Amino acid sequence: TIEPKPGIEPSATHIAGLINRAKSAGIKAVIVEENRPRKTPERVAKEIGAPLVIVKHMPASAEGKYVEWMSELVDAIGKSTK
C-alpha cells in the first residue's frame, strides 16, 4: 500500500522505495478508493508508468451488494490493464 500504516502519510523515502519496488515487480495499476487523497497515488502511477484506477468504497451495508461491488472492482481493474 502507499501508506506505511492505515491513515499515516508516507514519507518521501517510503514513496521512493515503493516506486522502486513497483517498477521491479512490474505493477500494472495503482488502485485508490474514490474517497482517498489522490496526490501521492497519482505520482506513484506516473513514476511507474501505470494507470491510476479509482474504485468505489465498499458499501457500508454490503448485504446483497458485495458481489455487485466486487464485479465493478474487477471490471475497473481489468479495463485499466488492457
Side-chain angles (χ1 to χ4, degrees):
T1 67
I2 289 178
E3 296 174 335
K5 293 183 181 178
I8 304 297
E9 287 297 316
S11 67
T13 302
H14 178 80
I15 294 168
L18 178 66
I19 290 168
N20 288 334
R21 289 190 308 276
K23 284 180 179 179
S24 295
I27 298 299
K28 304 289 186 210
V30 176
I31 302 166
V32 63
E33 290 180 328
E34 63 187 352
N35 62 331
R36 302 293 300 156
R38 295 186 187 163
K39 182 180 177 183
T40 302
E42 286 172 346
R43 177 178 168 215
V44 172
K46 182 178 178 181
E47 291 285 331
I48 68 171
L52 180 67
V53 181
I54 311 299
V55 297
K56 292 181 181 178
H57 185 69
M58 190 169 101
S61 173
E63 185 176 331
K65 302 213 182 225
Y66 180 78
V67 173
E68 178 183 325
W69 172 75
M70 260 321 222
S71 179
E72 289 175 8
L73 183 66
V74 169
D75 285 346
I77 294 168
K79 287 176 185 173
S80 74
T81 58
K82 287 185 178 183

